[in-house]
Amino acid sequence: MAQTEKKGGLLRKSSASKKPLKEKVVLMYDEIFTTEDPSKCNPRFWEELFLMKVNLEYLEGKLEALDGEELMKIKDNINCLFQHCIQALGEEHPIRVVNALQTLCALIRGVHQKNKSTSGFDIINMLVGFDKAELCMKNLMESLDSLLCAEGSESLKSLCLKLLLCLVTVTDNISQNTILEYVMINSIFEAILQILSSPLSRREHGYDAVVLLALLVNYRKYESVNPYIVKLSIVDDEATLNGMGLVIAQALSEYNRQYKDKEEEHQSGFFSALTNMVGSMFIADADEKISVQTNEAILLALYEAVHLNRNFITVLAQSHPEMGLMTTPTSPIPATPVTPLGTTPPSSDVISSAELPLDADVQTSNLLITFLKYSSIVMQDTKDEHRLHSGKLCLIILTCIAEDQYANAFLHDDNMNFRVNLHRMPMRHRKKAADKNLPCRPLVCAVLDLMVEFIVTHMMKEFPMDLYVRCIQIVHKLLCYQKKCRVRLHYTWRELWSALINLLKFLMSNETVLLAKHNIFTLALMVVNLFNMFITYGDTFLPTPSSYDELYYEIIRMHQNFDNLYSMVLRLSTNAGQWKEPASKVTHALVNIRAIINHFNPKIESYAAVNHISQLSEDQVLEVVRSNYDTLTLKLQDGLDQYERYSEQHKEAAFFKELVRSISINVRKNLAFNTLSQELLLKEFSTIS
């Protein structure tokens, strides 16, 4: 017997049949694409249609093949199909509901492809008709809400979320998608929260729910009152917030794991052998090839939660076992297509701390640690546009955290010590740190380590000025908290001071190149003022008096850099050029640093001469410093512990608009509606005869 093959809606026998046969659902689609009402000849047409397996490819292709005029001719039938799909969502037979959901996805995508150049308003007319739009969309949203909240099939919930993601991302700029007005009016916010608060639903659908919420929050967020923003900002249910945090932590953890796997694979491969033979000259080039696609969608969700909801800050510190060490769940996980990370949910389970007991031998972690590790990876290479955006968003999130009083309380808590293994960029002049030697410290130390690491590793021609400014601002905000609350943090401050001085040195060495693109004096002023903060208030937050002495030692030891900076800004501030004002601000800010250098240097030279020592040791310099504080005069500088709070709307609106656009395109591109095969669905809904 000849085998039957199926292709593009055609059925044919492989043994040279005369004419290919179309499957029944394709014939029914063809009837819809005529100007006649298909139910005239067959009153049961719509009833039968939703019992047929959907052919997404054929339906979408058919819509895309029509020109605008042809589409308008069959508008009534398209409207009719859309309305019958909505009616079918209320059916008891799950197969009809599944087919209706998949058909709606195909319709929305197909009509959008045809109407790319037109407004969302025209798409509404084409799909449902202006006169019936409000009622139809209300019924659609209510049906989706009921399906998402019901105890029933997980497959149906999955398709509902995919349909909603399809609806949201149908235009690149989601704020131009007028269909979303109906999603605003008929909110599904509570349904999303219900998914996140239930361990089973969260495991199956948490990722899609979190991404959907992040996108909905960004619909016309600056132009009108977005109910999803309002509702997200007041959520205080612990289970829901923890659920959201776990979904985000798992997705970021998955990224970190993939990167680590690639890094290990890379190190054991060809390049490792090559670098062993000829030294480390190829390390930087080799490392550039380690890349895992960044996950801006989940990062956006984390940002919105941290920025909008103060209660979510507590979730950042919620302890759970290290995600990578979790055991695989016994419950089945729906199959997902292999697509780039950042568009599909991670495969492993999301388990709350209550669901998995803590093992004394397992390193505990939390969302903040996972996020810091993620940041340390994506911030390594800012040459790639996606990583640059990710790096910027990581720093914006850290800015929000650094401004929050409660977040600072747990960041600086001596009773909350963690071993945080940040990724460090391979550099020729330093050895790779051994992971096992990492000390347990308050979390703020890891944040400062991340900032120092960024400062040290990004001094290059394509200078990421914006990221450096954010970096220095984060350090400043943390210092403001320490000064205000008199927190004496045991941290290796010398590493920070050294990094900041080297940054100033880099700015001076590349003055001409950098000034052609950036106002480097803004950054130089911020760095100098960080030193002023340590000089003026260091005795209130540095861990020991000797730490304060070491600060002076570093300033004196590296005085040439400060002298050079003063010469540079003095030169530019006395000229009548465009840099006169910003350069003069740096000149004034250097007053105390110069006072320290001018006060102690002669004393050190005198000490060396009296004791006949050509080169003083560190201890000898420190002895001179300690014995000459009394005669040092410093000026009190105002506003060192003040900062401008983060504001998204006024400064970051353009960035977020572009970021959300990129996420929308990515989500749409990787949305898979056919991940559930008809066989699996039939098995699940075996009650249907």
Side-chain angles (χ1 to χ4, degrees):
M1 186 178 174
Q3 288 188 344
T4 305
E5 293 179 7
K6 178 183 154 190
K7 190 177 180 183
L10 302 178
L11 293 172
R12 65 179 176 80
K13 288 184 179 178
S14 55
S15 57
S17 177
K18 285 181 184 176
K19 193 176 179 182
L21 299 169
K22 285 187 176 181
E23 55 182 304
K24 187 172 179 183
V25 75
V26 168
L27 292 169
M28 295 183 88
Y29 290 155
D30 287 345
E31 287 186 55
I32 294 168
F33 283 87
T34 63
T35 51
E36 297 294 319
D37 178 358
S39 61
K40 264 188 182 178
C41 301
N42 180 4
R44 290 172 56 83
F45 179 87
W46 300 110
E47 220 176 304
E48 290 173 9
L49 179 68
F50 296 111
L51 289 172
M52 302 284 156
K53 181 183 173 182
V54 178
N55 189 325
L56 284 165
E57 196 182 337
Y58 185 85
L59 186 53
E60 277 188 58
K62 193 85 174 167
L63 284 163
E64 286 174 37
L66 299 174
D67 62 32
E69 204 176 308
E70 289 170 326
L71 201 60
M72 281 307 294
K73 285 178 184 173
I74 60 159
K75 177 185 163 298
D76 289 347
N77 281 357
I78 298 290
N79 291 172
C80 210
L81 174 58
F82 196 86
Q83 287 161 33
H84 278 94
C85 283
I86 294 168
Q87 283 173 29
L89 295 181
E91 294 268 358
E92 286 181 16
H93 300 308
I95 283 291
R96 289 189 178 188
V97 179
V98 166
N99 288 334
L101 287 167
Q102 290 186 322
T103 305
L104 281 168
C105 291
L107 263 180
I108 291 163
R109 293 215 301 196
V111 169
H112 163 70
Q113 285 295 329
K114 201 69 252 158
N115 287 263
K116 267 186 177 175
S117 58
T118 60
S119 68
F121 204 64
D122 291 331
I123 293 172
I124 292 169
N125 186 36
M126 186 54 64
L127 284 172
V128 69
F130 292 140
D131 52 335
K132 296 172 184 168
E134 203 167 315
L135 181 61
C136 275
M137 291 305 294
K138 180 175 180 286
N139 292 339
L140 172 62
M141 295 308 297
E142 283 176 357
S143 295
L144 293 175
D145 187 70
S146 300
L147 289 166
L148 288 171
C149 294
E151 291 290 317
S153 157
E154 297 304 322
S155 299
L156 282 182
K157 288 182 184 179
S158 177
L159 273 176
C160 285
L161 286 168
K162 291 203 184 323
L163 172 59
L164 285 162
L165 282 169
C166 173
L167 207 63
V168 173
T169 62
V170 81
T171 55
D172 294 353
N173 180 353
I174 64 170
S175 293
Q176 290 177 349
N177 182 359
T178 321
I179 299 173
L180 288 190
E181 283 298 329
Y182 301 104
V183 185
M184 296 293 125
I185 297 163
N186 307 286
S187 174
I188 46 147
F189 184 80
E190 284 71 22
I192 293 172
L193 293 199
Q194 190 174 308
I195 287 167
L196 296 174
S197 61
S198 154
L200 175 64
S201 287
R202 182 171 68 242
R203 190 159 57 234
E204 302 282 352
H205 318 295
Y207 185 91
D208 281 350
V210 162
V211 172
L212 176 63
L213 182 58
L215 288 167
L216 288 171
V217 161
N218 280 278
Y219 175 72
R220 294 189 179 172
K221 62 174 3 177
Y222 310 121
E223 299 146 45
S224 58
V225 177
N226 180 322
Y228 290 85
I229 292 177
V230 177
K231 289 179 179 182
L232 179 59
S233 66
I234 57 172
V235 175
D236 58 1
D237 179 64
E238 199 177 331
T240 305
L241 292 171
N242 283 341
M244 187 175 186
L246 281 160
V247 172
I248 295 167
Q250 183 62 32
L252 296 179
S253 234
E254 180 73 4
Y255 177 93
N256 296 347
R257 185 192 62 76
Q258 284 190 26
Y259 182 86
K260 195 175 179 185
D261 288 350
K262 281 205 171 191
E263 192 177 40
E264 285 171 3
E265 179 189 317
H266 194 79
Q267 285 167 357
S268 62
F270 170 75
F271 276 99
S272 176
L274 191 64
T275 48
N276 286 339
M277 282 192 294
V278 294
S280 56
M281 61 186 286
F282 293 114
I283 282 181
D285 296 332
D287 187 66
E288 282 175 14
K289 293 177 175 61
I290 304 172
S291 63
V292 180
Q293 187 173 329
T294 49
N295 194 336
E296 283 91 5
I298 213 75
L299 211 55
L300 179 68
L302 174 59
Y303 164 75
E304 296 297 357
V306 167
H307 181 231
L308 294 173
N309 191 303
R310 290 220 54 217
N311 301 313
F312 190 80
I313 293 291
T314 61
V315 175
L316 293 172
Q318 194 82 33
S319 289
H320 56 68
E322 191 77 75
M323 288 285 188
L325 300 171
M326 287 184 177
T327 51
T328 310
T330 50
S331 57
I333 296 168
T336 52
V338 182
T339 53
L341 190 70
T343 53
T344 55
S347 56
S348 19
D349 190 11
V350 173
I351 307 178
S352 72
S353 48
E355 292 163 35
L356 193 71
L358 288 177
D359 184 336
D361 298 324
V362 173
Q363 160 77 26
T364 55
S365 185
N366 56 41
L367 175 53
L368 183 60
I369 292 172
T370 307
F371 167 65
L372 289 172
K373 288 181 181 179
Y374 177 90
S375 301
S376 71
I377 296 170
V378 299
M379 283 163 59
Q380 283 183 34
D381 177 19
T382 54
K383 291 172 190 168
D384 170 74
E385 191 184 359
H386 284 292
R387 279 173 175 253
L388 182 67
H389 284 164
S390 266
K392 182 172 177 175
L393 188 49
C394 287
L395 289 171
I396 289 174
I397 293 167
L398 283 171
T399 300
C400 295
I401 292 169
E403 286 183 6
D404 188 90
Q405 188 77 4
Y406 179 78
N408 266 305
F410 74 69
L411 280 175
H412 292 86
D413 191 341
D414 261 337
N415 299 312
M416 284 180 65
N417 292 325
F418 290 90
R419 191 175 282 114
V420 184
N421 178 24
L422 298 175
H423 288 261
R424 283 157 61 91
M425 191 185 285
M427 295 179 80
R428 287 193 285 276
H429 61 271
R430 67 177 182 186
K431 290 180 180 178
K432 190 176 180 185
D435 300 348
K436 291 175 184 175
N437 298 336
L438 290 169
C440 276
R441 302 173 300 170
L443 284 168
V444 69
C445 295
V447 179
L448 289 167
D449 283 350
L450 183 64
M451 298 302 100
V452 169
E453 175 66 11
F454 182 84
I455 292 167
V456 168
T457 56
H458 289 77
M459 296 181 216
M460 51 196 180
K461 284 180 184 175
E462 290 299 318
F463 188 69
M465 174 63 81
D466 178 57
L467 301 192
Y468 266 98
V469 168
R470 291 173 196 279
C471 228
I472 304 300
Q473 284 174 338
I474 290 164
V475 175
H476 179 233
K477 286 168 185 180
L478 294 172
L479 291 182
C480 288
Y481 174 82
Q482 289 166 25
K483 179 255 170 184
K484 178 185 169 188
C485 299
R486 293 182 173 265
V487 176
R488 295 192 181 275
L489 182 70
H490 288 271
Y491 181 70
T492 49
W493 290 110
R494 269 191 169 183
E495 288 186 11
L496 174 65
W497 300 331
S498 174
L500 293 172
I501 292 167
N502 283 327
L503 174 57
L504 289 176
K505 188 178 176 182
F506 174 81
L507 294 178
M508 289 182 286
S509 304
N510 297 275
E511 176 195 342
T512 312
V513 176
L514 292 174
L515 275 178
K517 295 180 181 177
H518 311 287
N519 175 3
I520 59 172
F521 302 107
T522 306
L523 184 58
L525 180 64
M526 292 169 74
V527 171
V528 169
N529 278 338
L530 275 189
F531 278 103
N532 286 330
M533 183 98 176
F534 280 106
I535 293 163
T536 310
Y537 303 116
D539 59 328
T540 66
F541 63 82
L542 284 170
T544 59
S546 63
S547 301
Y548 194 73
D549 302 337
E550 284 168 9
L551 167 68
Y552 277 63
Y553 174 78
E554 281 300 309
I555 291 170
I556 295 160
R557 186 175 73 88
M558 304 298 284
H559 72 89
Q560 194 62 55
N561 289 297
F562 293 109
D563 292 343
N564 292 344
L565 177 64
Y566 182 73
S567 300
M568 182 181 96
V569 292
L570 190 64
R571 168 170 48 86
L572 288 160
S573 61
T574 50
N575 295 338
Q578 67 178 112
W579 306 118
K580 182 181 171 77
E581 192 183 335
S584 63
K585 285 181 182 176
V586 182
T587 312
H588 295 136
L590 281 165
V591 62
N592 281 342
I593 292 172
R594 295 192 74 244
I596 290 166
I597 293 165
N598 294 335
H599 175 75
F600 286 106
N601 266 355
K603 302 276 193 295
I604 291 164
E605 286 166 13
S606 171
Y607 180 92
V610 168
N611 293 283
H612 306 290
I613 304 167
S614 59
Q615 196 168 355
L616 270 64
S617 68
E618 181 176 333
D619 288 339
Q620 288 167 328
V621 173
L622 287 170
E623 187 186 323
V624 175
V625 168
R626 289 187 192 107
S627 56
N628 286 282
Y629 275 134
D630 295 349
T631 51
L632 173 67
T633 306
L634 296 175
K635 285 189 176 179
L636 187 64
Q637 293 174 309
D638 293 330
L640 291 175
D641 58 343
Q642 305 294 315
Y643 59 81
E644 187 184 349
R645 291 188 67 84
Y646 169 77
S647 169
E648 179 191 318
Q649 186 168 353
H650 298 109
K651 293 193 173 178
E652 311 295 348
F655 167 71
F656 279 101
K657 187 179 176 182
E658 196 49 48
L659 181 76
V660 173
R661 182 188 184 89
S662 165
I663 292 168
S664 176
I665 293 166
N666 208 20
V667 169
R668 183 174 72 237
K669 189 172 72 180
N670 292 287
L671 212 50
F673 302 109
N674 50 357
T675 52
L676 301 164
S677 70
Q678 199 77 356
E679 290 74 22
L680 279 172
L681 289 167
L682 285 167
K683 196 173 181 182
E684 185 178 340
F685 308 134
S686 54
T687 49
I688 304 171
S689 54

